[in-house]
């Protein structure tokens, strides 16, 4: 293992230096994933920092981050490797007088291979963090491929033979739970459910990201956002939106929250009209608007 | 929290295995490989930090969101923070109820979770004991504790304490510290709700503490079986209380999203690869009866229509309400969804089904014509109504779902009306929230109805999910 930590506290400290404030749950699970050499499956609502976590791990351990973005229809050629057909054709036309055997051994060599993220991660010598993003968007067939790769960290290319990883990459899979992932895939991973952080932690995050923000204002911002999350909204404000809101308030030069400023900037945290209406009613903003 | 008793490996292994067994009995499907992972986790983390251990074990044993509550409750029983009464509680023996309430009010004003936890411990010890000691009725009751302590009545007192600004703002209590400038701070209006949440947290602490203490005298297995709530998708529709139904309603949207992808996948699959046997055989005539070239069925691009007939009387209302919401959320998967409700008269309620509506059954009861001269459910009468008034909503593309327990109060079941409906439709299913063992008992005519249309047991969200994703035509 090249991506390694000494203890959960060490994880926390090093991630914090990389600009990611981790909760106990996150720190412990990252530590275990690194120590036990298991992939980490991260689930949770959008905007709680699932992708940012792997970026922070990469930065904290000076590893390279290799990212495989999944989408409907992503296939082996996009995820694993592909032969560079155009280049192969050029090579064949260039060597006109060659025998078939010569040409064949040449065009199926490393030069004509296009490694995609999974193969890249396996072939790398240095420490590597492999991020497989939004794995629930990919088709079920890709899961089978992932099982093989994540199981023994080796890939078989028929023409080249089996390529095994010299050192296991630190693998993070993220999912928004739009589709049930198969049991087999879940079983191979450590599971981490990231939820909205506790108010204290969120206030710290806001102040880390928006350095000039007053502590009192940061606390108030987080309290309002938490109150909004308790409402039955179509889209609860995420951490990213809290930070955006804090930036907005800072840009407007607000030093305390009052009805007017909240009313004006509610659009930064709530993205649906009915949500805005609901929040306005619940937070008694209407009384001000009317006057 | 380092009160983990030293144990030898043998004991620890046995405890871990028992723990996993308890999780399985509560619907967390942890297999052997998960148990091995969990053991590796204990090995790496050690036992000295309970919070880390909790997170570590959760990452190995819990494999999806929504199971964490069950895990936490079971974890508290199998890896308790301590044994018996803590020293703080010993010191406080002989404390009066009023003192305890004052203490609680102070802790709530500060928003200090640690203190709240200690008070929960004290409260259960002082107020919660039930049964006779050293017999198998002994235990600690969270209900009794909370009933005597009545934390919800403290809100006014706490707000007053905060208003004085005297209480130091530790932990989460940012609100009180800054309140000095003026009481018209914007965040002040959130205080009441935040306080309610703190009290809810305290309530959960008391419940956890009562479970822990009871487990010490009655054994962990007994307590796990009875006191640990199953996960949301295992809650029985018929016995769910108001709060649980409310929780379930919140799971509708994510569940619908998952089901929609599954239905879409099934539809995609249907579109290709279906061989039309009749036409393949007909074509094989040209090649001497050997089917050289298969003929594929034409894709059927039309999405099915869905008609729901929901019994909204009494106990079934929770199940019907949930299913109506779910179907509404899934409406993009069907070309048309119509919802009818009945007790003993049928009326269309499609427009009333709205996910924002918490009290759906109440609204339907007020606004729709669903009863005649009496208020007990009568399926026969309702089906007859439907056949007479709304039969044109059912066609060869329609899938009809009947929701109800088939308890007909000894009225005429009117099988022919249901048969007629099912004949006109593409498929007709009956979803029954009662356990299949109880079908046909008492005034239930479920087993007779089951001979007319296909009936499925749908006691909980898990079974309903399975039905929608596997059987519902797409």
């Amino acid at each position: 293992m090249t991506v390694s930590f000494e203890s959960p506290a060490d994880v926390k400290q090093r991630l914090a230096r990389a600009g990611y404030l981790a909760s106990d749950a996150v720190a412990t699970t990252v530590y275990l994933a690194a120590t036990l050499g298991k992939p980490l499956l991260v689930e949770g609502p959008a905007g709680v920092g699932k992708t940012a976590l792997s970026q922070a791990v990469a930065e904290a351990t000076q590893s390279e981050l290799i990212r495989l973005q999944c989408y409907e229809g992503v296939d082996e050629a996009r995820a694993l490797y592909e032969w560079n057909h155009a280049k192969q054709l050029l090579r064949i036309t260039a060597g006109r007088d060659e025998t078939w055997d010569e040409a064949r051994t040449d065009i199926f060599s490393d030069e004509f291979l296009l490694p995609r993220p999974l193969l890249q991660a396996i072939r790398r010598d240095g420490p590597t963090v492999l991020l497989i993003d939004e794995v629930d968007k990919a088709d079920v067939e890709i899961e089978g491929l992932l099982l093989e790769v994540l199981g023994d960290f080796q890939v078989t290319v028929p023409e080249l033979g089996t390529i095994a990883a010299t050192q296991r990459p630190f693998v993070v899979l993220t999912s928004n739970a739009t589709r049930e992932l198969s049991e087999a895939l879940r079983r191979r991973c450590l599971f981490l459910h990231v939820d909205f952080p506790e108010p204290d932690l969120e206030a710290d995050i806001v102040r880390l990201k928006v350095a000039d923000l007053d502590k009192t204002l940061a606390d108030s911002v987080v309290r309002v956002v938490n109150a909004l999350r308790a409402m039955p909204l179509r889209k609860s404000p995420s951490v990213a939106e809290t930070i955006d809101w804090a930036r907005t308030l800072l840009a407007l030069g607000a030093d305390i929250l009052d009805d007017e400023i909240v009313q004006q900037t509610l659009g930064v945290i709530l993205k649906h009209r009915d949500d805005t209406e609901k929040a306005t009613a619940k937070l008694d903003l209407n009384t001000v608007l009317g006057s | 929290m380092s009160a983990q008793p030293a144990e030898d490996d043998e004991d620890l292994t046995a405890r871990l295995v028992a723990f996993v067994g308890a999780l399985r009995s509560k619907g967390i499907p942890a297999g052997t490989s998960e148990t091995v992972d969990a053991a590796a986790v204990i090995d790496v983390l050690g036992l000295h930090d309970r919070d880390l251990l909790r997170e570590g074990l959760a990452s190995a044993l819990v494999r999806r969101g929504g199971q964490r509550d069950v895990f936490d409750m079971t974890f508290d029983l199998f890896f308790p923070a301590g044994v018996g009464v803590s020293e703080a509680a010993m010191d406080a023996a002989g404390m009066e109820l009023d003192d305890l309430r004052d203490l609680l009010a102070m802790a709530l004003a500060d928003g200090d979770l640690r203190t709240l936890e200690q008070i929960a411990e004290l409260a259960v010890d002082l107020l919660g004991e039930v049964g006779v000691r050293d017999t198998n009725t002994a235990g600690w009751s969270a209900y009794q504790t909370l009933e005597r302590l009545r934390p919800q009545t403290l809100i006014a007192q706490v707000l007053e304490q905060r208003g004085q600004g005297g209480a130091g703002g530790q932990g989460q209590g940012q609100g009180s510290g800054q309140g000095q400038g003026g009481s018209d701070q914007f965040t002040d209006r959130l205080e009441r709700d935040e306080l309610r949440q703190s009290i809810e947290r305290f309530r959960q602490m008391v419940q956890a503490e009562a479970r822990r203490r009871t487990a010490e005298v009655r054994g962990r297995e007994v307590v796990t079986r009875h006191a640990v709530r199953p996960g949301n998708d295992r809650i029985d529709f018929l016995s769910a209380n108001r709060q649980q139904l409310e929780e379930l309603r919140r799971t509708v949207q994510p569940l619908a999203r998952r089901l929609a992808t599954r239905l879409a996948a099934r539809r995609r699959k249907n579109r290709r690869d279906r061989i039309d046997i009749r036409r393949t055989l007909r074509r094989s005539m040209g090649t001497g009866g050997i089917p050289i070239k298969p003929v594929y069925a034409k894709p059927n691009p039309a999405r099915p229509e869905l008609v729901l007939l929901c019994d909204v009387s009494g106990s079934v209302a929770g199940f019907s309400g949930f299913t109506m919401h779910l179907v509404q959320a899934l409406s993009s998967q069907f070309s048309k969804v119509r919802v009818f409700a009945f007790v003993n008269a049928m009326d269309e309620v499609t427009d009333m089904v709205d996910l924002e509506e918490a009290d759906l059954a109440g609204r339907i009861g007020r606004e729709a014509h669903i009863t005649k001269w009496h208020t007990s459910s009568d399926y026969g009468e309702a089906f007859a109504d439907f056949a007479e008034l709304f039969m044109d909503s059912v066609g060869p593309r329609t899938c009809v779902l009947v929701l109800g327990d088939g308890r007909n109060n000894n009225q005429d079941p009117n099988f022919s009306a249901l048969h007629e409906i099912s004949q006109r439709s593409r498929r007709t299913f009956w979803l029954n929230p009662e356990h299949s063992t109880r079908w046909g008992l008492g005034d239930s005519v479920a087993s007779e109805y089951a001979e007319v249309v296909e009936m499925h047991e749908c006691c909980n969200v898990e079974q309903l999910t399975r039905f929608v994703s596997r059987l519902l035509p797409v």
Side-chain angles (χ1 to χ4, degrees):
Chain A
M1 283 308 302
T2 46
V3 176
S4 69
F5 297 96
E6 281 154 30
S7 66
D10 180 42
V11 177
K12 224 178 206 179
Q13 215 173 22
R14 281 162 72 182
L15 287 184
R17 239 176 285 145
Y20 186 96
L21 296 181
S23 65
D24 276 345
V26 172
T28 313
T29 320
V30 168
Y31 169 67
L32 285 171
T35 313
L36 300 177
K38 287 198 145 235
L40 180 60
L41 172 61
V42 189
E43 252 180 26
V48 291
K50 298 189 292 289
T51 309
L53 172 62
S54 49
Q55 283 159 352
V57 170
E59 199 182 320
T61 55
Q62 277 117 42
S63 321
E64 187 177 328
L65 180 72
I66 295 181
R67 177 171 180 166
L68 169 63
Q69 177 69 46
C70 293
Y71 48 87
E72 201 171 329
V74 66
D75 58 356
E76 219 164 300
R78 291 281 144 206
L80 201 53
Y81 70 90
E82 200 173 14
W83 288 107
N84 192 343
H85 295 304
K87 203 171 172 190
Q88 280 173 333
L89 283 177
L90 282 175
R91 168 67 187 75
I92 292 168
T93 16
R96 217 168 265 265
D97 318 320
E98 269 178 340
T99 62
W100 162 240
D101 277 337
E102 281 167 356
R104 188 185 54 189
T105 42
D106 202 34
I107 58 171
F108 287 112
S109 65
D110 217 28
E111 197 194 337
F112 299 93
L113 190 70
L114 292 174
R116 300 297 183 195
L118 289 181
L119 187 61
Q120 275 172 18
I122 283 176
R123 291 214 297 189
R124 257 184 63 86
D125 287 328
T128 312
V129 173
L130 171 63
L131 167 64
I132 303 175
D133 215 359
E134 304 193 325
V135 72
D136 52 328
K137 297 262 167 64
D139 303 315
V140 188
E141 291 79 17
I142 277 295
E143 274 186 33
L145 176 73
L146 287 178
L147 286 182
E148 187 193 340
V149 175
L150 301 181
D152 359 305
F153 288 99
Q154 60 177 35
V155 170
T156 306
V157 182
E159 294 84 356
L160 294 180
T162 302
I163 304 168
T166 46
Q167 43 195 339
R168 291 192 158 206
F170 181 87
V171 185
V172 180
L173 299 97
T174 74
S175 155
N176 282 326
T178 50
R179 174 171 70 80
E180 279 290 298
L181 300 175
S182 74
E183 281 304 321
L185 184 65
R186 284 176 184 277
R187 225 178 42 230
R188 279 170 179 73
C189 304
L190 288 178
F191 180 77
L192 173 66
H193 184 88
V194 185
D195 220 324
F196 299 122
E198 291 285 312
D200 286 354
L201 182 59
E202 188 165 14
D204 287 344
I205 294 174
V206 169
R207 278 172 53 220
L208 180 77
K209 297 286 175 191
V210 192
D212 299 334
L213 197 71
D214 180 45
K215 175 167 171 18
T216 331
L217 185 56
D219 288 341
S220 309
V221 164
V222 170
R223 283 179 72 189
V224 174
V225 168
N226 269 302
L228 290 175
R229 281 181 197 149
M231 291 178 206
L233 299 178
R234 277 173 68 182
K235 164 83 179 70
S236 287
S238 67
V239 182
E241 275 143 354
T242 316
I243 294 170
D244 281 349
W245 196 32
R247 287 215 177 99
T248 313
L249 292 174
L250 192 68
L252 291 177
D255 40 12
I256 53 159
L257 281 185
D258 55 35
D259 287 77
E260 203 187 337
I261 197 102
V262 174
Q263 178 78 40
Q264 282 168 357
T265 55
L266 210 54
V268 180
I269 31 177
L270 297 178
K271 306 293 164 71
H272 289 285
R273 221 182 96 86
D274 3 338
D275 284 359
T276 317
E277 278 166 12
K278 215 178 282 173
T280 312
K282 183 84 199 233
L283 295 176
D284 291 338
L285 290 172
N286 265 342
T287 48
V288 178
L289 202 65
S291 62
Chain B
M1 297 210 171
S2 55
Q4 273 297 334
E7 278 181 286
D8 49 54
D9 289 353
E10 195 75 10
D11 257 10
L12 190 57
T13 316
R15 182 183 289 210
L16 179 63
V17 171
F19 177 53
V20 175
L23 288 179
R24 275 182 212 146
S25 73
K26 288 292 155 189
I28 298 182
T32 314
S33 72
E34 274 93 345
T35 319
V36 173
D37 285 350
V41 165
I42 297 182
D43 200 33
V44 170
L45 288 178
L47 292 171
H48 55 275
D49 191 328
R50 183 163 172 269
D51 290 334
L52 289 190
L53 185 66
R54 180 199 292 268
E55 300 301 341
L57 284 181
S59 72
L61 291 169
V62 180
R63 292 281 138 107
R64 60 197 70 219
Q67 295 178 337
R68 196 47 208 267
D69 288 349
V70 182
F71 174 86
D72 279 343
M73 278 186 248
T74 321
F75 180 86
D76 285 337
L77 291 179
F78 280 79
F79 299 89
V83 183
V85 193
S86 70
E87 274 174 33
M90 293 283 217
D91 292 345
M95 207 184 213
E96 295 293 317
L97 178 59
D98 284 339
D99 298 340
L100 204 56
R101 277 173 61 87
D102 286 345
L103 217 57
L104 178 59
M106 246 148 72
L108 284 172
D110 285 359
D112 182 356
L113 291 178
R114 264 282 142 73
T115 320
L116 276 183
E117 220 157 69
Q118 281 168 3
I119 294 175
E121 211 171 286
L122 276 177
V124 171
D125 190 54
L126 291 174
L127 309 173
E129 189 165 0
V130 292
V132 185
R133 261 187 208 207
D134 301 324
T135 66
N136 63 356
T137 57
W140 272 265
S141 155
Y143 179 76
Q144 181 178 313
T145 312
L146 293 169
E147 199 61 10
R148 289 190 186 164
L149 197 58
R150 284 179 297 126
Q152 66 277 14
T153 57
L154 284 173
I155 292 183
Q157 190 183 338
V158 175
L159 284 178
E160 197 179 317
Q161 274 186 18
R162 277 199 184 174
Q164 290 162 0
Q170 302 164 354
Q172 278 183 290
Q174 308 101 333
S176 51
Q178 36 183 274
Q180 278 116 353
S183 59
D184 54 346
Q185 271 265 348
F186 180 78
T187 41
D188 283 357
R189 68 190 67 172
L190 306 175
E191 249 167 30
R192 193 168 277 271
D193 281 336
E194 285 174 352
L195 210 53
R196 269 196 208 104
Q197 282 168 15
S198 297
I199 290 176
E200 187 52 41
R201 269 198 163 163
F202 176 72
R203 198 184 290 274
Q204 283 162 6
M205 287 173 189
V206 169
Q207 281 162 355
E209 175 66 10
R211 275 195 298 272
R212 181 183 76 81
R213 293 295 296 276
T214 311
E216 279 175 10
V217 289
R218 301 280 298 278
R220 295 182 197 117
E221 281 73 16
V222 179
V223 178
T224 316
R225 200 174 323 135
H226 297 294
V228 175
R229 283 194 298 126
N232 270 343
D233 56 349
R234 289 277 196 100
I235 293 174
D236 210 320
F237 283 124
L238 289 184
S239 61
N241 58 32
R242 204 181 182 73
Q243 188 197 349
Q244 285 172 323
L245 285 175
E246 180 64 21
E247 267 170 44
L248 283 181
R249 195 168 63 86
R250 255 175 254 153
T251 64
V252 164
Q253 205 71 57
L255 178 65
R257 218 160 22 113
R258 266 206 325 268
L259 284 174
T261 31
R262 247 183 257 178
L263 291 179
R266 260 175 63 200
R267 185 173 302 126
R268 254 201 319 271
K269 213 169 208 166
N270 272 352
R271 205 167 293 163
R272 44 180 197 229
D273 304 342
R274 249 189 34 244
I275 290 180
D276 186 333
I277 301 286
R278 195 186 62 79
R279 287 179 51 212
T280 305
L281 288 180
R282 179 69 191 80
R283 187 184 274 186
S284 75
M285 294 297 130
T287 50
I290 300 163
I292 287 180
K293 221 175 161 190
V295 185
Y296 291 97
K298 282 221 181 80
N300 182 5
R303 300 181 170 202
E305 295 167 11
L306 204 58
V307 165
L308 248 64
L309 309 182
C310 311
D311 181 357
V312 290
S313 69
S315 57
V316 199
F319 167 65
S320 295
F322 181 82
T323 314
M324 283 190 249
H325 280 146
L326 182 64
V327 166
Q328 186 67 26
L330 276 174
S331 57
S332 64
Q333 295 297 314
F334 303 97
S335 63
K336 197 195 264 175
V337 175
R338 291 183 74 177
V339 184
F340 298 88
F342 65 90
V343 172
N344 49 48
M346 191 72 80
D347 197 4
E348 176 156 12
V349 296
T350 311
D351 296 336
M352 293 181 210
V353 184
D354 177 357
L355 200 53
E356 303 302 321
E357 182 72 64
D359 182 26
L360 185 59
R363 181 169 174 201
I364 289 175
R366 281 192 305 279
E367 295 179 21
H369 174 67
I370 52 173
T371 50
K372 290 179 179 166
W373 59 91
H374 62 108
T375 54
S376 46
S377 50
D378 180 344
Y379 287 75
E381 189 74 28
F383 290 145
D385 260 16
F386 184 80
E388 192 185 328
L389 297 170
F390 302 110
M391 209 47 164
D392 54 347
S393 66
V394 179
R397 262 197 237 141
T398 318
C399 172
V400 180
L401 298 181
V402 185
L403 315 178
D405 57 2
R407 295 205 170 268
N408 206 24
N409 298 300
N410 302 317
Q411 309 282 343
D412 171 25
N414 200 349
F415 295 120
S416 61
L418 180 61
H419 183 71
E420 201 184 328
I421 296 170
S422 103
Q423 281 299 305
R424 275 183 69 114
S425 70
R426 175 170 161 197
R427 292 295 292 273
T428 299
F429 296 100
W430 187 307
L431 306 182
N432 193 333
E434 252 189 344
H435 277 280
S436 52
T437 45
R438 297 218 296 272
W439 295 358
L441 297 183
D443 61 348
S444 163
V445 279
S447 28
E448 281 91 341
Y449 277 130
E451 285 166 19
V452 184
V453 297
E454 201 174 323
M455 193 177 282
H456 292 272
E457 178 186 291
C458 272
C459 302
N460 50 37
V461 176
E462 194 186 7
Q463 285 176 332
L464 182 63
T465 312
R466 203 176 316 146
F467 168 80
V468 172
S469 58
R470 300 226 178 118
L471 290 172
L472 204 61
V474 285

